Each structure stands twice: as structure tokens, then as C-alpha cells.
Amino acid sequence: MLFSSIPDILCVPSAVDIVSTQLHYPQYFVAFIGVAKLLGSIAILIPGFPRIKEWAYAGLMYDLIAATYSQIAVGTPASKWCFMVIFFVMAIGSYVYYHKKLKATI
């Protein structure tokens, strides 16, 4: 999420094309979602603040779910969006290990 937020924030033409032309979202949404992904990634990486981390994990999962659904809704072939499973597994794994680490410190 951290690395995908940078092209969104900078409004790189390829990022704008994917979001506005292919998925039919407004162009201003690109920078907004980029900032949201950056803040969520920072919240997850910085130690402490467990409540903020929970919200960040939820927000990043909503982003992944919405991106996958949007691709399916516009008729993108499965071969182009099925790789999203990798990101879901990574996000869920990170969340699970965050909670294991949290329990170990208590």
C-alpha cells in the first residue's frame, strides 16, 4: 500500500488512467486515496497506537475490497485482478501477526 500510494499522490498519468478511465472514478479521487493509503501505511508501521492501527487495517482492507470489486464490476478479466489475492493474504497475515505480537507483550 505504501508503494502504491506514491504514484496516486503524485497523480502519475498511469495511476490516473487506471482509476478514472478504466474504473470510471473522478480524477480527484486518485490523490485522495493515495493520501489515505499513505497515512494508513504509516499508522501500521509506527509502533504503539493500537486503536489507530485497527482503523488503519480496516481502511486498507476496505481499499483492497473496493479495488477488487471495482475491477470485477467494470468487467476486467479475472487474469488481471486475481493477483489481488496476494495482497489480501499479506494484509491478513500482517494483521494476525500484529495481534500475536500484541498478546506476547502483554
Side-chain angles (χ1 to χ4, degrees), residues 69-78 81:
Y69 177 77
S70 295
Q71 290 180 0
I72 293 168
V74 297
T76 304
W81 57 260

Side-chain angles (χ1 to χ4, degrees), residues 19-20 45 47 52 59 67:
V19 174
S20 63
L45 293 173
I52 293 174

Side-chain angles (χ1 to χ4, degrees), residues 50-80:
R51 187 171 305 247
I52 293 174
K53 283 187 189 294
E54 289 291 328
W55 281 97
Y57 273 113
L60 293 177
M61 284 302 293
Y62 290 142
D63 178 67
L64 287 172
I65 292 167
T68 305
Y69 177 77
S70 295
Q71 290 180 0
I72 293 168
V74 297
T76 304
S79 63
K80 291 191 176 185

Side-chain angles (χ1 to χ4, degrees), residues 9-29:
I9 292 170
L10 297 175
C11 291
V12 174
S14 61
V16 174
D17 180 57
I18 290 169
V19 174
S20 63
T21 306
Q22 294 177 13
L23 298 178
H24 307 290
Y25 286 106
Q27 288 186 354
Y28 63 82
F29 186 70

